[in-house]
Amino acid sequence: MSSRKSRSRQSGSSRINDDQILDLVTKLQQLLPETRNRRSEKVSAAKALQETCNYIKSLHREVDDLSERLSELLETTDTTQAAIIRNLLMK
């Protein structure tokens, strides 16, 4: 069997059709705070993916900020309390 036929069979079984893509984009939009409130407004798949990327970036920044704030808090906290907090975070 040629490699071309082999690739065709492999990609055919894992291919996502247009309806599945639309369904996934709709589900993705429901997860985004910016688009959750705009249910009646249709957003393109490209726009939904861009908003998703932006949202994930903002979540990363928020996690970084919270981690920094927690580190600063732990530095100023009693060592026993800081150890308890660290143990709780590791669970």
Side-chain angles (χ1 to χ4, degrees):
M1 180 184 296
S2 75
S3 63
R4 184 180 209 174
K5 286 182 181 178
S6 176
R7 278 193 304 247
S8 175
R9 285 187 180 172
Q10 289 173 351
S11 65
S13 65
S14 64
R15 209 173 249 166
I16 297 176
N17 65 37
D18 289 346
D19 289 337
Q20 290 171 316
I21 291 172
L22 290 174
D23 184 51
L24 291 170
V25 169
T26 300
K27 289 177 181 177
L28 186 59
Q29 287 174 319
Q30 292 170 355
L31 296 173
L32 298 173
E34 298 86 20
T35 58
R36 196 179 306 143
N37 300 327
R38 297 183 288 181
R39 292 185 185 190
S40 61
E41 181 185 332
K42 290 196 175 191
V43 178
S44 70
K47 177 91 170 144
L49 292 173
Q50 182 62 49
E51 288 181 356
T52 301
C53 291
N54 292 340
Y55 184 57
I56 291 170
K57 287 176 187 176
S58 73
L59 289 175
H60 278 285
R61 283 191 300 271
E62 189 174 342
V63 166
D64 290 343
D65 290 344
L66 289 172
S67 294
E68 187 176 322
R69 288 173 53 195
L70 180 60
S71 293
E72 291 170 359
L73 179 66
L74 290 175
E75 287 175 6
T76 61
T77 304
D78 176 270
T79 55
T80 304
Q81 290 176 338
I84 293 170
I85 293 170
R86 282 190 189 93
N87 285 333
L88 288 172
L89 292 173
M90 294 301 166
K91 289 184 181 183

